[in-house]
Amino acid sequence: MNAKDRIIETALKLFVTKGYSVGINEIIKQSETSKGAFYHHFKSKDQLFLETIDKYFFNTIENTIILEKESLSFSEKIHKLISLNFASLKHLNKICGEEINYLTIFSSYINFEELKTK
């Protein structure tokens, strides 16, 4: 796993358990990366939070591709969307364990217009 993915995965675990208040230094330490690596991939904790939420909760690119496929019927699109999102939730449980409190991470989304729009 590359440094960016390790940072995102670690941030997900910490955001889910501690909320947005987790510090960059803790993310860096637990992801076993450097501060330089963090800032190489992310301008700020805000950007990391947005990318983490997007990656693990919205799957926007995959969802858009499925919805735009004219060759699929409505029911096929729904089935694929449910399957894709179920796989995502399964992966989340694998990363964070069975004790995920989604409210912890989503309680911070109010501060991000981009997330409210999605």
Side-chain angles (χ1 to χ4, degrees):
M1 180 181 308
N2 65 36
K4 183 175 183 178
D5 289 339
R6 211 168 49 246
I7 293 167
I8 289 174
E9 194 169 289
T10 301
L12 173 68
K13 290 177 194 174
L14 292 170
F15 288 144
V16 166
T17 57
K18 297 183 176 192
Y20 185 75
S21 64
V22 67
I24 290 174
N25 289 331
E26 187 171 357
I27 295 167
I28 291 166
K29 181 179 178 184
Q30 288 199 25
S31 65
E32 299 178 350
T33 56
S34 66
K35 197 170 270 201
F38 179 90
Y39 285 107
H40 172 74
H41 296 291
F42 307 99
K43 290 185 285 188
S44 64
K45 185 172 77 170
D46 286 357
Q47 182 188 0
L48 171 62
F49 183 77
L50 290 169
E51 285 192 36
T52 301
I53 295 295
D54 201 46
K55 179 176 182 173
Y56 288 104
F57 292 97
F58 289 112
N59 302 310
T60 52
I61 295 171
E62 294 91 345
N63 288 344
T64 302
I65 290 169
I66 290 169
L67 291 172
E68 290 180 350
K69 281 194 173 182
E70 293 179 17
S71 61
L72 296 175
S73 70
F74 178 74
S75 62
E76 289 171 321
K77 288 177 184 180
I78 295 299
H79 177 73
K80 287 189 179 292
L81 287 171
I82 290 170
S83 296
L84 173 67
N85 289 300
F86 180 74
S88 227
L89 290 174
K90 215 169 147 182
H91 184 70
L92 274 172
N93 284 341
K94 183 179 176 186
I95 292 170
C96 297
E98 297 296 324
E99 300 170 9
I100 298 176
N101 182 351
Y102 296 105
L103 294 177
T104 303
I105 195 166
F106 282 118
S107 65
S108 301
Y109 96 97
I110 293 170
N111 300 319
F112 297 89
E113 286 300 320
E114 184 179 326
L115 291 178
K116 284 195 249 179
T117 303
K118 288 182 182 199

